[in-house]
Amino acid sequence: DVVHRFESLDGTQKYTVDVEVKLVNGVLGECKVPSQHPPQFPIAKGVNVVTPNDLCKKYGKTKLKNHQKTRYVVMGAGKTAMDTVIYLQTTMKVSPDNIIWIIPNDVWMLNRDGQGGGGPWVYPLMLLACNGDTEKACALMNKEGNFVRIDDNVIPTRYRFPVVGGEELKLMRKVKNIVRRGRVSSILLPPGEEKIVIGFGSEQEPLQFSKEK
């Protein structure tokens, strides 16, 4: 038997557990959100990088002067990034033309307005019906309207299953400045140049634009 110890977040309660069968680490299944996990790549000093939470707080308190003319770069294709793209357009009234969306991998999304109502049980049932063929199951769910994707011409490669509605999907599809070059590896400010360079590794061309924007 192995003895494990843990305590409450405030440190006031401490516990000792004698594990008789198996220790299950539930932390491994936790969602990682930007506000709790800073970027794991170099970011040059002077580049304004904020989490969606901070963006919301800053806009709510100061209304962010000239924010509608500012260019925003949203990184990621998870539910947090999707919510950010929607928030920029609905609450902050930012034009989709001023949004650059970096999508490392397209994802299948559950349609809240579909027959399954966005429930997570629809996919396992379809997967069983397709004898475990994920591509066939996803294609059928897409055809039935239970699965949706940002671009009908791009087949998603990730199965994160965020739940979205029809109006949310319309807003996401309004963003045409989409970059699909993999994950961001760096955000730099080259010396003597007034531009921001977003890197995607050695095999992909970096994204460059004026710092003033």
Side-chain angles (χ1 to χ4, degrees):
D1 294 349
V2 180
V3 176
H4 291 270
R5 296 177 177 82
F6 62 95
E7 61 183 48
S8 59
L9 291 175
D10 59 8
T12 59
Q13 301 292 327
K14 297 183 180 182
Y15 305 89
T16 300
V17 179
D18 188 0
V19 179
E20 296 181 355
V21 181
K22 179 183 291 186
L23 174 67
V24 178
N25 187 357
V27 176
L28 297 177
E30 287 185 337
C31 294
K32 294 183 178 180
V33 295
S35 61
Q36 299 175 337
H37 295 81
Q40 301 300 306
F41 50 81
I43 300 176
K45 185 177 180 180
V47 178
N48 188 18
V49 177
V50 298
T51 67
N53 285 4
D54 288 337
L55 178 66
C56 182
K57 291 176 182 177
K58 288 183 177 182
Y59 176 71
K61 290 182 178 180
T62 66
K63 296 303 179 184
L64 292 176
K65 184 179 180 181
N66 297 325
H67 72 277
Q68 292 179 337
K69 298 180 180 179
T70 301
R71 178 178 293 180
Y72 296 86
V73 180
V74 179
M75 296 184 293
K79 191 61 170 66
T80 304
M82 294 178 185
D83 289 343
T84 302
V85 169
I86 294 167
Y87 179 83
L88 286 168
Q89 296 181 72
T90 56
T91 302
M92 295 178 62
K93 308 302 180 184
V94 174
S95 168
D97 293 335
N98 286 340
I99 300 173
I100 298 175
W101 193 357
I102 297 176
I103 299 181
N105 300 283
D106 281 71
V107 301
W108 284 112
M109 298 172 281
L110 286 164
N111 184 7
R112 187 182 294 112
D113 304 323
Q115 296 176 355
W121 55 83
V122 183
Y123 176 65
L125 293 176
M126 180 61 78
L127 197 58
L128 286 172
C130 294
N131 296 317
D133 188 329
T134 56
E135 292 186 6
K136 183 179 179 180
C138 290
L140 286 174
M141 287 192 65
N142 186 212
K143 184 177 180 180
E144 293 177 353
N146 285 316
F147 266 5
V148 292
R149 44 183 161 167
I150 294 173
D151 188 335
D152 287 333
N153 295 315
V154 178
I155 298 177
T157 57
R158 293 291 184 271
Y159 308 91
R160 299 290 185 264
F161 307 143
V163 180
V164 300
E167 292 304 314
E168 294 170 314
L169 185 61
K170 287 180 182 178
L171 287 168
M172 288 188 282
R173 285 178 170 173
K174 284 185 176 181
V175 179
K176 302 303 180 182
N177 298 321
I178 292 181
V179 178
R180 291 183 172 90
R181 302 178 191 176
R183 294 185 179 279
V184 173
S185 59
S186 62
I187 303 178
L188 306 175
L189 281 172
E193 299 182 32
E194 288 297 318
K195 64 180 180 181
I196 296 175
V197 179
I198 300 178
F200 300 91
S202 59
E203 297 182 0
Q204 294 288 346
E205 181 181 353
L207 174 66
Q208 304 182 39
F209 50 87
S210 171
K211 182 183 176 183
E212 295 180 356
K213 295 181 180 181

